[in-house]
Amino acid sequence: MKDFENVNSVIERVLLTEEQIRDKVTEIGARISDEYKGREPLMLCILSGSFMFASDLMRAITIPVGISFIYASSYGDASVSSGEVDIRTGKGGLDVSGRDVIIVEDIVDTGRTLTAVKKYLEDKGAKSVEICTFLDKPERRVFPLDVKYMCFDIPNEFVVGYGLDYAYKYRQLPFVGVLKPEIYTK
Ligand code: PRP
């Protein structure tokens, strides 16, 4: 493990190594390249957590692909969702009409965020909308979702790194680690 400041005092154990992540993202990129051959999909990345995954995934895709970003959050700096999904686009809005959209997300938990984002994109006239998530916690699902691409199915533990945060911290870790419970329960 790289010598990130204080990492050993906050991370209980490494769940996914850099190498495991690299191999899986390469595999998912190849699948998307194959399954979208002849089309030019739009990667619609959900800020903030998906930025690292999106960046690696895009480099693993070998067909023409676009990228755009929206902000969607229901957690803020809390560990329990507020129940409301706040969706925001950049200036000028987002034109997805007639596009094959692949939503790129870092983690699907209850499914609340992506249910709201999917509806938002369908209402805006997207031709197709599929979901590509780095992590999935299926046992936490409340809102049923069809997740087409998923890198890792993980247990219900608080994980950080590779874009995922706790209170805006630890996103820069190149691996996924389980946060020590005393960090988020204190
Ligand atoms: C996280 C994550 C997903 C959402 C998943 O976002 O990035 O968007 O929670 O949870 P759900 O399936 O229960 O909706 P968060 O609100 O923490 O924002 P962030 O990506 O900026 O950290």
Side-chain angles (χ1 to χ4, degrees):
M1 199 186 294
K2 274 186 199 157
D3 190 20
F4 287 98
E5 201 176 281
N6 292 330
V7 77
N8 290 318
S9 61
V10 295
I11 301 296
E12 190 172 86
R13 67 179 200 283
V14 174
L15 188 66
L16 301 167
T17 65
E18 283 188 72
E19 193 185 6
Q20 285 175 300
I21 294 171
R22 193 172 47 242
D23 288 352
K24 185 54 85 172
V25 173
T26 302
E27 180 192 318
I28 296 294
R31 258 187 73 195
I32 290 174
S33 307
D34 185 42
E35 291 173 19
Y36 282 83
K37 212 177 183 71
R39 292 185 279 170
E40 188 172 333
L42 175 69
M43 289 171 55
L44 202 259
C45 312
I46 313 298
L47 294 170
S48 303
S50 73
F51 74 96
M52 204 176 281
F53 173 48
S55 161
D56 288 342
L57 180 67
M58 193 179 201
R59 282 175 285 188
I61 294 177
T62 53
I63 58 166
V65 63
I67 192 162
S68 198
F69 301 86
I70 61 169
Y71 176 80
S73 182
S74 64
Y75 289 81
D77 62 359
S79 55
V80 178
S81 171
S82 68
E84 294 287 317
V85 182
D86 183 18
I87 298 177
R88 295 183 212 179
T89 62
K91 241 185 176 172
L94 178 73
D95 185 11
V96 292
S97 136
R99 299 293 307 264
D100 291 306
V101 179
I102 303 172
I103 302 174
V104 178
E105 180 61 290
D106 57 340
I107 188 165
V108 182
D109 191 314
T110 64
R112 176 183 277 114
T113 305
L114 289 195
T115 298
V117 171
K118 198 161 187 261
K119 181 175 185 313
Y120 175 87
L121 295 170
E122 284 164 355
D123 288 350
K124 285 197 161 292
K127 183 175 167 196
S128 66
V129 181
E130 298 291 358
I131 292 168
C132 177
T133 188
F134 173 57
L135 301 178
D136 192 3
K137 280 184 178 174
E139 68 186 87
R140 290 266 307 157
R141 199 75 89 251
V142 176
F143 302 86
L145 265 182
D146 183 12
V147 176
K148 184 155 192 190
Y149 304 102
M150 187 262 300
C151 292
F152 301 98
D153 189 323
I154 62 162
N156 185 22
E157 293 183 288
F158 204 119
V159 291
V160 294
Y162 200 66
L164 289 105
D165 74 316
Y166 168 63
Y168 306 120
K169 290 187 282 193
Y170 317 120
R171 291 197 201 270
Q172 87 231 55
L173 300 175
F175 56 86
V176 171
V178 176
L179 199 63
K180 288 184 176 173
E182 61 261 36
I183 303 297
Y184 56 87
T185 51
K186 69 182 173 192

